[in-house]
Amino acid sequence: MPALLRRAAAAPVWARVCGGALLLLAVLVAAKGPHDAAQTTVNGIVTGTYFALGAVGLALVFGVLRLVNFAHGDMLTFAAYMALLFSMTLGLPIVAAMVVGTLATAALAVVSELVLWRPMRTRRAGGFQLLLITIGLAFVIRNGIQLFAGSIPRTLDVDVTTAFNLVGHVRIGRTQSIAVVVGLIALLLVAVLLRATRIGKEMRALADNLSLAEVSGIDTQRVILVTWGVAGALAGLAGVVSAAAIGVMTPNFGWLLLLSLFAAAVVGGLKSAYGALVGGLLLGLVEEWSTMFVDSRWKFAVGFSVLILTLLVRPTGLLGRPEVT
Amino acid sequence: MIPLAFSFQSFAHADFWIGVGIVAGIYSIFTLGLQVNVGFTGILNFGQAGFMAIGAYSMALLILKAHWSPWAALPVATLIAMASGLLVGIPALRLPPHYLAMATIGAAQIVQITAQNATGFTGGNEGLIGFDAEWQRIQTWLLGKLSAVGLGQQYELPLFLVTWLSFLVLLVVLRALQHTPWGRVLRAIREDEDAAAALGKNVYAYKLQSLMAAAALGAVAGYLLALNVTLIYPQSFSADFTFIGFAILVLGGLASYVGVALGAILLWFVLEGMRFVDLPLAADKIAALRLLLVGLVLIAVMVFRPQGILGKREEMVIRG
Amino acid sequence: MAERPPVAELGPGADAILRVRDLAKRFGGLRAVDGASLDVERGSITALIGPNGAGKTTLFNLVTGFLAPDRGAVAYDDESIYRKPPYRVAARGMMRTFQMTKALAAMTVLENMLLGAPDQPGERLLGLARHPLGWRRRERDVQSRALELLERFRLSTHAHAYAATLSGGQRKLLELARLLMAEPRLVLLDEPLAGVHRVLGGELLAHIHDLRAERGMTFLFIEHDMEVVMENADRVIVMAQGQVIAAGAPAEVRRNRAVIDAYLGTEAEDAA
């Protein structure tokens, strides 16, 4: 037995995390029965998908700029409401409207870089200033949306009723299954971008060591701009996917998700996009699994608790590497 | 008839502005706590609303459930808030600034969610009432005294006076503390904690003290808020409250306690003054417009004049 | 890992104020300090040299508690300070300066000095409450001592100016003067002359010699300028690639094959 544990401890972090999750699932099946465990796992994958989309965007911006973007959650809301706007006022079919919403959010991120972040960097603004600006931006976006669209819950024109059985009585909504597929494809594309393309390698280089990247001839301004675009697109996709999957949206919904997104990104090691991906999926699973034990209104508290626990125990995240001083 | 209508009008206005003054005063005391943390120690406490909630709920629960006198409940509730500051601070203050910001928001959100959902204990979304019996008596007595000078009709004036008197006392205490060696160590920590540690100062302990002080100030703001609304319910203690506090903080200027009052008065007089502008908007949209303004204030100050109105350029040395 | 002969350790008879054994720290794949051992003799002025990236500043950080080592042992005055937090190390009498000078720019020169004083009850909240008059008295004493030191370092005219207004060299002097308020017995200086005007640099070195002569203070300083090292150091310790590779009198070390290789090796890398 000890030999097995030793081999387990020596396995790469990936394997340990996946192994741990599977072990946890096995425990849950034993505790609550296969149906509940399976259903919440399915729900968890849905939630985890848009958590992952949101968290990866956060991690990309933090990695390249060392900026925690408190307005990130509101970018999700922005996308969802843009989709609503285009589908309602311009009569676009909902899928097209969602695409437009995603692109609009990418545009918003790019514009914010050109108009706000780049000039502030030129002026050597400190981290505190930038942080408060993200909070101000969050207020502006969130309340701007409420100013125009009001605070009553809205829905996107998606099919919220059709559901089908996966295995046995475990159900998933049709919209949600599409959301998962789309989300996972997007995440895969991002992973490919980071790994295989030149711009992706440059993004990783900046995240690793900004000053080194600058002196090795990388056009950092361009890379930062692309990072914002990608992060904005991911946030946009997360926003439309979550609005579709959850079914209703209010101007606050992105802000309410923000701490869960932080938790996912921190668990994955704030700088690491891959970590945020895994962190998002894990957190989605954990939040949904928790509904087997506590009332679902405590779900958000679970997210915050995971955040705080991770910050206490292992701030570099389960998958992150320690910061080089 | 007409002179009477005018005097009623002006009364209504005076009452309105006194009410605004109370809110500004509550925010001022709340933001004094943020100033101690951010402006004087350099720690990013985004959970101040949580400490306010803990103070207010503790006070109300001690009075309502444990049947304590408010004179005992207030100091003990303050100690409870300070203890929660210690509880949050011990793990959180070891973290770098952006993690500390997240951890403190997370802690405050947990407090709010608990307040909403532990309905048996906290009354849930309906909240707690009835804790202010003693205050009502004091208020009546004060109004009696004010009648002697013809101000007996300004029902909000007693709370206004108590709020601003509290602020002044706290201001004096904090300024005195700043001019002590203790205050000097805090300022050093704000600028460069490694330098302070290299000189033998236990930086961690000072940060804990700073956070506990802020928690106490948040609690006091919480009591006054509770008395103003006569109801304690979770929505009052949202993260928005903390961020409005930050807007006041940066507007008035970092490292200036007087600036806190200036920022609060300015911001609230503008926000509430908007009520006189006849906007064809529904209530929730007007609320959104006000918070939008707060966001713009935050951005504008940080972009154009980060040291705020009363802050000094040299003081802009927050590590970030 | 090859066993390194103990090059920088003093014999058991020697009076070592600082003893470091097999100290190590890695960052991911990088072994910044890789089993370094050295002794610093009490009352000496010792130089720590080595090519860039040798691990000198990391060693300082590890020894003074600003960075947690992975393994090893550190003893100051025969008491272990391994992994003790920096404020405790400083309070015991081992203090340091930083490569990027940490004169507190937003405070006045005098306030910087007052900060350095130990035993000021007014720095603690309980102290303020329990000694309301005592701390004021202590403040006055501390202030006169601070002004004396500033006088000695020729900074007294700047006493009430913000430290931001001082030149780089003056800030290094301030950093040194400030920590002298605590009367440390071992001072670690990280590149004290970097970016400093020759004249001020000369003053700084003169102060170091005077302090050693008057008070028997020990100094360990990181330096790149070999002339400065030759003229001022009693003993030189050489690091390269995270390890201590040589130690001895300046003239010996200069001729040491391993040291020359280490420096040349870096030059060859730079040229490649």
Side-chain angles (χ1 to χ4, degrees):
Chain A
M1 201 54 191
L4 192 67
L5 286 172
R6 245 183 287 130
R7 257 201 312 182
V13 191
W14 291 101
R16 273 186 280 163
V17 166
C18 291
L22 286 171
L23 201 66
L24 190 57
L25 182 58
V27 168
L28 290 171
V29 170
K32 291 282 177 178
H35 176 261
D36 276 357
Q39 183 65 65
T40 52
T41 303
V42 166
N43 297 344
I45 292 176
V46 175
T47 308
T49 304
Y50 58 81
F51 275 4
L53 287 168
V56 170
L58 260 180
L60 285 174
V61 169
F62 183 80
V64 155
L65 288 174
R66 294 293 182 274
L67 176 70
V68 178
N69 185 7
F70 274 75
H72 196 81
D74 299 287
M75 283 164 56
L76 269 77
T77 318
F78 179 76
Y81 274 84
M82 278 287 123
L84 185 72
L85 179 73
F86 278 92
S87 82
M88 290 192 74
T89 56
L90 290 176
L92 281 181
I94 190 63
V95 173
M98 284 162 86
V99 170
V100 171
T102 306
L103 293 174
T105 313
L108 178 69
V110 166
V111 165
S112 76
E113 158 66 8
L114 293 171
V115 163
L116 199 53
W117 304 119
R118 189 175 290 185
M120 290 309 285
R121 280 200 310 276
T122 321
R123 283 198 238 173
R124 306 196 155 286
F128 173 69
Q129 271 172 272
L130 297 176
L131 198 69
L132 282 192
I133 292 178
T134 66
I135 292 177
L137 210 58
F139 263 62
V140 168
I141 297 175
R142 182 159 79 243
N143 290 291
I145 291 174
Q146 182 159 322
L147 187 62
F148 285 105
S151 57
I152 51 169
R154 306 289 203 118
T155 54
L156 291 175
D157 188 19
V158 288
D159 183 355
V160 289
T161 46
T162 314
F164 49 84
N165 289 352
L166 278 175
V167 185
H169 291 288
V170 176
R171 301 174 66 77
I172 186 170
R174 185 161 158 269
T175 309
Q176 291 164 326
S177 50
I178 298 174
V180 169
V181 170
V182 169
L184 290 178
I185 292 176
L187 289 166
L188 193 68
L189 287 174
V190 170
V192 167
L193 174 85
L194 287 175
R195 244 238 123 85
T197 65
R198 184 167 149 208
I199 189 78
K201 291 188 186 138
E202 291 180 341
M203 283 163 72
R204 282 190 292 142
L206 251 82
D208 236 0
N209 191 330
L210 184 63
S211 29
L212 192 62
E214 276 175 342
V215 300
S216 30
I218 296 178
D219 182 355
T220 50
Q221 301 288 53
R222 195 175 68 103
V223 174
I224 292 174
L225 198 64
V226 170
T227 306
W228 274 110
V230 173
L234 284 170
L237 191 61
V240 296
V241 159
S242 56
I246 297 176
V248 285
M249 58 201 222
T250 61
N252 264 337
F253 91 88
W255 169 248
L256 291 173
L257 281 177
L258 185 63
L259 273 174
S260 298
L261 297 179
F262 278 158
V266 166
V267 161
L270 200 51
K271 281 195 316 171
S272 160
Y274 302 126
L277 203 162
V278 175
L281 287 169
L282 268 180
L283 194 72
L285 285 168
V286 167
E287 280 199 7
E288 291 300 329
W289 283 339
S290 77
T291 62
M292 288 192 283
F293 300 96
V294 292
D295 195 282
S296 63
R297 56 186 188 172
W298 292 97
K299 247 196 322 194
F300 281 134
V302 171
F304 305 155
S305 308
V306 167
L307 172 65
I308 291 182
L309 227 86
T310 314
L311 287 176
L312 291 184
V313 170
R314 220 190 139 123
T316 49
L318 293 177
L319 300 161
R321 283 175 299 137
E323 291 264 323
V324 182
T325 42
Chain B
M1 281 301 286
I2 295 173
L4 213 62
F6 271 136
S7 62
F8 269 128
Q9 273 282 53
S10 56
F11 260 97
H13 277 244
D15 241 355
F16 173 73
W17 288 114
I18 292 173
V20 174
I22 294 174
V23 173
I26 292 171
Y27 268 91
S28 295
I29 296 175
F30 179 88
T31 310
L32 280 179
L34 292 179
Q35 187 69 280
V36 173
N37 285 160
V38 179
F40 283 110
T41 322
I43 53 186
L44 288 179
N45 170 17
F46 281 135
Q48 184 73 333
F51 298 131
M52 187 170 72
I54 290 177
Y57 271 100
S58 301
M59 172 206 50
L61 288 170
L62 283 172
I63 293 176
L64 292 172
K65 304 267 165 95
H67 305 293
W68 282 24
S69 132
W71 303 109
L74 283 175
V76 172
T78 311
L79 286 172
I80 294 176
M82 290 172 75
S84 71
L86 192 65
L87 198 69
V88 170
I90 287 180
L93 287 170
R94 296 191 193 278
L95 301 169
H98 42 260
Y99 287 129
L100 174 63
M102 282 190 248
T104 47
I105 289 194
Q109 292 288 70
I110 288 182
V111 170
Q112 194 182 16
I113 290 183
T114 309
Q116 280 175 311
N117 292 316
T119 43
F121 195 45
T122 62
N125 280 318
E126 276 147 24
L128 300 169
I129 54 168
F131 49 85
D132 57 342
E134 183 68 23
W135 165 247
Q136 296 298 340
R137 273 196 288 278
I138 296 175
Q139 194 169 34
T140 316
W141 177 82
L142 274 171
L143 279 170
K145 296 284 172 192
L146 288 169
S147 294
V149 289
L151 291 167
Q153 298 289 48
Q154 308 290 39
Y155 299 118
E156 306 238 72
L157 201 50
L159 188 57
F160 176 91
L161 291 170
V162 168
T163 303
W164 282 100
L165 192 66
S166 311
F167 174 80
L168 285 169
V169 167
L170 291 166
L171 179 73
V172 167
V173 169
L174 285 174
R175 290 193 87 176
L177 273 175
Q178 272 322 117
H179 290 116
T180 62
W182 182 84
R184 188 167 57 221
V185 176
L186 283 189
R187 279 192 294 142
I189 292 173
R190 189 195 70 179
E191 183 174 344
D192 193 328
E193 34 179 284
D194 286 343
L199 291 171
K201 316 300 174 199
N202 184 351
V203 171
Y204 184 61
Y206 282 94
K207 287 181 172 181
L208 280 171
Q209 288 166 23
S210 176
L211 193 63
M212 287 168 75
L217 289 162
V220 173
Y223 309 145
L224 294 165
L225 180 72
L227 293 179
N228 194 27
V229 188
T230 67
L231 168 68
I232 297 178
Y233 65 104
Q235 272 69 13
S236 324
F237 308 108
S238 63
D240 280 353
F241 204 106
T242 303
F243 294 133
I244 296 175
F246 268 88
I248 290 171
L249 180 71
V250 298
L251 183 63
L254 287 174
S256 165
Y257 289 125
V258 171
V260 164
L262 185 64
I265 292 170
L266 263 177
L267 190 73
W268 278 104
F269 275 55
V270 167
L271 286 181
E272 292 292 330
M274 282 169 55
R275 287 191 199 276
F276 291 107
V277 180
D278 225 345
L279 292 161
L281 290 173
D284 62 345
K285 296 197 177 188
I286 293 188
L289 186 61
R290 284 149 52 113
L291 289 178
L292 185 84
L293 214 71
V294 171
L296 288 174
V297 166
L298 265 171
I299 297 176
V301 172
M302 285 291 103
V303 170
F304 297 115
R305 200 187 156 87
Q307 70 267 38
I309 297 175
L310 292 183
K312 291 180 273 185
R313 257 263 153 220
E314 301 91 49
E315 299 276 359
M316 279 307 300
V317 287
I318 303 275
R319 308 157 286 110
Chain C
M1 193 175 58
E3 272 292 320
R4 278 241 158 244
V7 288
E9 292 155 36
L10 302 167
D15 186 7
I17 191 172
L18 181 69
R19 285 189 207 274
V20 175
R21 292 289 176 270
D22 195 35
L23 206 57
K25 178 70 179 177
R26 51 188 294 180
F27 301 106
L30 175 69
R31 293 211 198 101
V33 174
D34 193 15
S37 302
L38 57 92
D39 288 342
V40 176
E41 188 174 4
R42 192 184 305 271
S44 69
I45 296 178
T46 308
L48 180 61
I49 69 172
N52 279 326
K56 307 185 293 293
T57 298
T58 311
L59 185 83
F60 267 28
N61 287 331
L62 290 170
V63 153
T64 53
F66 281 92
L67 208 56
D70 296 332
R71 68 163 198 275
V74 184
Y76 167 73
D77 241 357
D78 292 323
E79 268 184 68
S80 170
I81 52 167
Y82 181 71
R83 292 216 179 150
K84 289 259 183 286
Y87 79 94
R88 276 211 206 284
V89 172
R92 292 218 200 161
M94 174 161 85
M95 300 184 82
R96 65 159 305 174
T97 64
F98 294 83
Q99 219 169 357
M100 306 288 290
T101 318
K102 287 181 186 289
L104 294 160
M107 296 169 68
T108 66
V109 168
L110 186 60
E111 283 176 323
N112 267 274
M113 297 294 288
L114 296 175
L115 201 60
D119 304 324
Q120 166 52 286
E123 281 183 352
R124 287 182 300 282
L125 282 176
L126 280 176
L128 285 172
R130 277 200 277 162
H131 308 271
L133 293 170
W135 74 261
R136 282 180 228 271
R137 220 179 309 131
R138 176 87 181 119
E139 187 86 340
R140 283 194 292 274
D141 294 339
V142 167
Q143 185 154 317
S144 50
R145 197 167 127 63
L147 289 168
E148 270 173 39
L149 265 174
L150 285 176
E151 182 70 48
R152 179 174 176 165
F153 278 73
R154 304 197 313 127
L155 290 170
S156 42
T157 47
H158 301 272
H160 297 288
Y162 277 108
T165 62
L166 296 179
S167 72
Q170 286 174 317
R171 284 194 227 188
K172 294 243 179 195
L173 285 170
L174 175 60
E175 219 188 351
L176 182 61
R178 184 177 65 190
L179 62 81
L180 288 176
M181 294 288 292
E183 300 192 347
R185 282 167 297 131
L186 170 60
V187 177
L188 272 56
L189 299 157
D190 197 341
E191 301 202 37
L193 302 178
V196 174
H197 189 267
R198 272 199 73 99
V199 172
L200 283 175
E203 278 184 40
L204 196 89
L205 289 166
H207 284 304
I208 290 175
H209 285 284
D210 291 340
L211 288 163
R212 189 264 293 268
E214 291 166 22
R215 307 187 198 184
M217 282 174 67
T218 313
F219 290 89
L220 176 67
F221 68 104
I222 295 177
E223 185 49 59
H224 284 292
D225 186 336
M226 282 312 290
E227 257 190 63
V228 168
V229 171
M230 296 296 288
E231 286 174 19
N232 291 279
D234 307 329
R235 188 163 174 260
V236 178
I237 299 176
V238 188
M239 278 185 80
Q241 298 186 312
Q243 294 179 332
V244 175
I245 60 168
E252 286 174 40
V253 162
R254 200 183 214 184
R255 292 192 302 264
N256 184 308
R257 189 78 235 169
V259 175
I260 296 174
D261 284 347
Y263 274 99
L264 279 179
T266 338
E267 276 171 39
E269 271 167 36
D270 288 344

